[in-house]
Amino acid sequence: MKEKIIKLYEEGLSSYEIARQLPISSSYARRIVRNYKAYDTKFGKHCSERGIELEKVNQYWDKTNQYSVQVKPNYEQDFDAIEEINTLLENYIPNGNKVKVKPNKSKQIAQFFYTDAHVGMNPNAEEKSLYGGSWGEKDLFARLEIVKQQLLLNVPKEVDCLQILNLGDFADGLDKKTVRRQHDLPQNMTNTEVFDVGVRFKIELLEFIYSNFSFNRLVWYNVCNSNHSSDFDYFICQAFKGISKHYEKIEVINNREFMGHIIHGKHCEIISHGKDDVNLKFGFKATLDEKAYKKIDEYIKHYKLSKYIITFHKGDSHLRVDDKTNQDFNYCSYYAFSPSSSWVQVNFQKGRSGFTIRLKYVDKRSGEIVKDFEFKWNSNKLN
């Protein structure tokens, strides 16, 4: 992408014109152009001669006989969420033959669950993590191709309701920090790059779905209250919601509360990341305990949901568990979509990553089909 931006800039296009043509956000185009121009400065040429990537210079010393000054170059512009969203909405042109779907008489619900994609995370910063790992733009979209293949193989062409459920921590964190700003996060993308890549991931999946499936209702649920990327996820998902208005029969829900729910037929799905942005010091565990049971039970009673077949879904733990130990609801925890971070590798285990597809009937509990798909470690292929 950088090469394309530079080529168009050398052809005389402005950053805004480049953004509209590719399309990407204008701030990202400006950043690439500004960094490219910086190489033509005296300092830029020095870095080039020394084989130093200018964008990776966090600070340097300017020394004279009288002073020694520590300088932090500012090659990137601040992330402007409003501008990013407006640029994407202005530039997006849907393919007209994909935006409509034919009604059908199916009685099935199809669900695709993914969580903890941590877009922008560097799992092997300075090559010091225990087990390595690669997680860049190419890895993310390679895994998306696997998702597409498995959706084609495992989801009927016609369903009554298709549900895409993103359980939070989609982005790794704004400004390389967790939401509470207490932890630094090793990352391999800028804020702008995470935004562009994240929105493009969702758009590509959206266009694929409209090209290959018929449904009477599409619910796209994004958890936007999590410990890594609460507000950042909301920016990304709101941009996606604006783009979704070009398509019919879709409801994009960008939930900012710790728990939310959707209902279709006799089924109620209660959805949470499992850990929030401010209040919970310790999140819900992978298996149901008394603390989680009481909170979910309270939620069910408050919203008068007990008449439905209830399933609670969460991310955060990076573990795959379907806990059916109580009579009131099933409690499900899901694989992370990304490989484990360096911190997780040291403090827990190497971990497993993947996604889940569920099929159920609109009006009954029996007959549900659950298929889990696990990626090989440090690979974008399935086990």
Side-chain angles (χ1 to χ4, degrees):
M1 183 62 73
K2 291 180 181 179
E3 290 77 13
K4 291 181 181 178
I5 293 170
I6 292 169
K7 184 175 184 295
L8 292 173
Y9 169 72
E10 290 177 337
E11 291 174 0
L13 274 68
S14 68
S15 299
Y16 182 75
E17 290 169 330
I18 293 170
R20 290 188 65 85
Q21 181 166 327
L22 287 179
I24 55 173
S25 66
S26 56
S27 60
Y28 178 53
R30 283 199 305 273
R31 185 181 71 82
I32 297 301
V33 168
R34 188 165 71 166
N35 287 354
Y36 174 67
K37 290 165 67 176
Y39 273 103
D40 199 36
T41 65
K42 186 176 181 180
F43 179 66
K45 290 177 180 178
H46 169 78
C47 289
S48 181
E49 290 170 359
R50 302 281 294 176
I52 300 170
E53 292 184 45
L54 193 60
E55 303 94 291
K56 293 184 179 180
V57 177
N58 296 319
Q59 60 187 27
Y60 63 89
W61 291 95
D62 181 29
K63 296 185 177 183
T64 64
N65 292 333
Q66 291 180 304
Y67 302 104
S68 182
V69 181
Q70 188 179 38
V71 181
K72 292 185 177 181
N74 181 24
Y75 298 116
E76 296 185 21
Q77 292 193 334
D78 293 335
F79 179 75
D80 187 333
I82 294 174
E83 182 184 2
E84 300 290 329
I85 292 172
N86 286 339
T87 301
L88 280 162
L89 296 183
E90 289 172 5
N91 291 344
Y92 182 70
I93 302 174
N95 186 333
N97 62 8
K98 296 179 183 178
V99 297
K100 295 183 178 181
V101 288
K102 294 180 180 179
N104 64 69
K105 297 181 179 181
S106 171
K107 296 296 181 183
Q108 282 189 298
I109 300 170
Q111 300 171 314
F112 163 53
F113 290 88
Y114 70 104
T115 184
D116 296 271
H118 289 281
V119 178
M121 174 188 72
N122 185 349
N124 192 22
E126 300 179 2
E127 298 185 352
K128 290 182 179 179
S129 66
L130 275 177
Y131 308 113
S134 172
W135 190 238
E137 180 179 349
K138 291 181 180 179
D139 301 293
L140 178 70
F141 283 92
R143 292 195 173 191
L144 179 58
E145 289 303 312
I146 299 293
V147 169
K148 292 179 187 178
Q149 294 170 15
Q150 296 307 321
L151 289 173
L152 286 174
L153 291 172
N154 294 285
V155 174
K157 291 293 184 182
E158 296 184 352
V159 294
D160 183 38
C161 182
L162 181 57
Q163 299 173 1
I164 309 299
L165 299 126
N166 158 32
L167 304 182
D169 276 359
F170 179 67
D172 191 50
L174 186 67
D175 296 329
K176 301 183 179 181
K177 297 277 189 181
T178 58
V179 175
R180 301 179 196 188
R181 317 297 285 182
Q182 294 175 342
H183 301 289
D184 294 325
L185 300 170
Q187 295 182 350
N188 52 26
M189 296 185 196
T190 66
N191 290 332
T192 306
E193 288 169 332
V194 171
F195 181 89
D196 285 342
V197 169
V199 175
R200 186 157 58 86
F201 175 93
K202 292 179 181 293
I203 292 173
E204 190 169 314
L205 180 56
L206 176 73
E207 292 179 340
F208 168 81
I209 287 170
Y210 274 84
S211 296
N212 290 282
F213 298 101
S214 167
F215 43 83
N216 299 316
R217 182 188 183 198
L218 171 59
V219 180
W220 201 300
Y221 192 103
N222 296 300
V223 172
C224 297
N225 187 336
S226 59
N227 53 307
H228 265 254
S229 53
S230 204
D231 286 349
F232 201 5
D233 280 358
Y234 185 71
F235 301 154
I236 293 169
C237 295
Q238 281 295 96
F240 173 70
K241 186 173 184 176
I243 287 167
S244 74
K245 296 183 185 300
H246 292 285
Y247 296 79
E248 65 175 15
K249 298 182 182 179
I250 182 172
E251 304 163 46
V252 176
I253 301 169
N254 297 331
N255 191 42
R256 298 286 286 127
E257 299 172 350
F258 174 60
M259 285 194 283
H261 66 275
I262 56 175
I263 295 169
H264 191 82
K266 293 186 176 181
H267 291 273
C268 174
E269 320 296 332
I270 301 178
I271 303 157
S272 174
H273 180 60
K275 189 181 292 181
D276 76 339
D277 52 2
V278 175
N279 298 306
L280 271 182
K281 186 174 182 181
F282 301 105
F284 285 5
K285 296 178 181 178
T287 54
L288 185 64
D289 61 8
E290 185 177 3
K291 171 188 170 183
Y293 175 81
K294 287 181 177 179
K295 180 56 61 180
I296 297 166
D297 182 61
E298 180 182 59
Y299 184 93
I300 291 169
K301 290 174 180 175
H302 178 83
Y303 288 101
K304 298 178 173 58
L305 302 174
S306 57
K307 64 181 178 180
Y308 296 103
I309 302 165
I310 298 172
T311 308
F312 177 85
H313 308 278
K314 66 172 288 292
D316 184 56
S317 302
H318 299 202
L319 297 172
R320 181 68 187 99
V321 180
D322 277 4
D323 188 329
K324 301 182 179 182
T325 55
N326 83 89
Q327 296 293 317
D328 301 317
F329 55 87
N330 293 340
Y331 181 94
C332 304
S333 185
Y334 294 89
Y335 290 136
F337 195 70
S338 69
S340 297
S341 67
S342 178
W343 185 87
V344 169
Q345 291 176 39
V346 171
N347 287 278
F348 296 96
Q349 295 179 344
K350 184 169 65 175
R352 297 153 74 176
S353 59
F355 59 93
T356 299
I357 295 172
R358 309 179 84 108
L359 299 174
K360 57 180 72 174
Y361 289 98
V362 171
D363 56 355
K364 61 183 180 180
R365 184 189 301 271
S366 300
E368 182 179 16
I369 298 172
V370 181
K371 293 192 176 183
D372 298 317
F373 301 90
E374 182 182 339
F375 293 109
K376 295 179 181 179
W377 174 253
N378 202 18
S379 166
N380 300 313
K381 297 179 180 179
L382 293 177
N383 267 331

